[in-house]
Amino acid sequence: GAVVSQHPSRVICKSGTSVKIECRSLDFQATTMFWYRQFPKKSLMLMATSNEGSKATYEQGVEKDKFLINHASLTLSTLTVTSAHPEDSSFYICSARGPDAGYTFGSGTRLTVV
Amino acid sequence: DAKTTQPPSMDCAEGRAANLPCNHSTISGNEYVYWYRQIHSQGPQYIIHGLKNNETNEMASLIITEDRKSSTLILPHATLRDTAVYYCIVPPTGTYKYIFGTGTRLKVLA
């Protein structure tokens, strides 16, 4: 079946630095990927839609300059959290539409900003 | 956009069937119902989806009412590993965007 690989699975960074999270579709091409964040014991919140070769579409309230998304190829989307602060600590998850119905999700990235 | 409503939590005895309901009374005629589950600290896992007819796969069965305003996910023989949060999702027509509700936290008891 379709596999989405997300890297890293965990990252700790210092406040003020930037962190890049990668989302790869391993055995299929994905023109559209999605990025979510999830706080403890809460549901997934859609942040943005990543479109290959064009600008990402952000959901209302999500700062596009804070969360930079690049979808440079049909198998890779990246999310960069710029100038990270402790309140950006969260679980970030990507998803991509595979060849079968439904979306495949990555395993998530636990970001801790100290 | 079809909004979904699910009970916040349910318990189920191991080996018994788990029946998880979802209300989607504003669903449009061509919108599918998808079910996913999320085990702690992992990404959501696809379970099943359907439009009008009941569906079954190796993981679960999906029963959709005739008026399509609600559905039930059935795990026929729940195991401890089925303990997870289960999400019922109806993507808005033409968008493919998944908007997650609060889901149902299923706890399978030994």
Side-chain angles (χ1 to χ4, degrees), chain B residues 8-12 18 20 75 78 82-86 104-108:
Chain B
S9 64
M10 292 181 66
D11 290 341
C12 176
L20 294 96
L75 307 178
D82 292 323
T83 293
V85 179
Y86 288 77
T104 296
R105 189 172 297 274
L106 174 70
K107 188 172 182 180
V108 180

Side-chain angles (χ1 to χ4, degrees), chain A residues 71-88:
Chain A
H71 195 152
S73 77
L74 286 171
T75 59
L76 174 64
S77 175
T78 60
L79 168 69
T80 301
V81 182
T82 64
S83 186
H85 291 286
E87 56 265 31
D88 298 323

